[in-house]
Amino acid sequence: MIKFTLKSVVLTIFLLCIVFLGMQTAQQGLIKMKGYNDPSIEHVINVSKTSDGQVEAAVLGSKKVVNIDEKQQFLEKRKAFNFFSSLGQSLAEGVKSTIGKAFKAIHHLLN
């Protein structure tokens, strides 16, 4: 079991490094395609918060300004409900309580 876990962790780290290498290669390709070093393309995704409480997101140079408070109020008005989110939360609570009960039972058996 330990060998499997170790192999899985090593494989995950290796694949994560490959993904980062691919992102870096894509960024360099964008710079080469442009023909010159443009500071607006240095970061593929750039998110920053403005002084008036809005969030500014730049994806490949195109900027979009979003007001988080307005979005939150809009979603609260619509009473947004995500079925899969609530299903995941209830499943997580069930697993958490089951594991807690199992640990308590093992603790009582050993003492």
Side-chain angles (χ1 to χ4, degrees):
M1 184 69 178
I2 294 173
K3 289 174 88 175
F4 173 75
T5 305
L6 184 62
K7 286 180 184 179
S8 298
V9 168
V10 169
L11 182 62
T12 303
I13 292 171
F14 176 72
L15 292 176
L16 187 63
C17 291
I18 296 295
V19 168
F20 287 142
L21 181 66
M23 289 173 65
Q24 181 66 27
T25 304
Q27 181 180 1
Q28 290 173 354
L30 285 173
I31 291 171
K32 285 181 184 177
M33 184 177 70
K34 190 83 167 176
Y36 57 91
N37 194 2
D38 187 3
S40 67
I41 299 185
E42 284 299 319
H43 301 288
V44 178
I45 297 174
N46 188 13
V47 179
S48 60
K49 193 168 189 174
T50 60
S51 61
D52 57 349
Q54 294 181 341
V55 175
E56 182 179 84
V59 178
L60 293 177
S62 64
K63 293 183 180 180
K64 183 173 182 178
V65 178
V66 178
N67 191 338
I68 299 294
D69 296 328
E70 288 178 9
K71 284 269 192 190
Q72 185 176 3
Q73 289 173 357
F74 175 73
L75 289 174
E76 286 175 357
K77 276 187 204 175
R78 292 192 63 199
K79 295 181 182 173
F81 175 73
N82 188 347
F83 171 73
F84 293 109
S85 176
S86 64
L87 182 67
Q89 286 177 349
S90 62
L91 181 65
E93 288 295 322
V95 168
K96 183 179 175 182
S97 66
T98 303
I99 290 175
K101 289 178 184 176
F103 278 136
K104 284 181 183 178
I106 291 171
H107 179 70
H108 288 299
L109 285 176
L110 296 176
N111 286 334

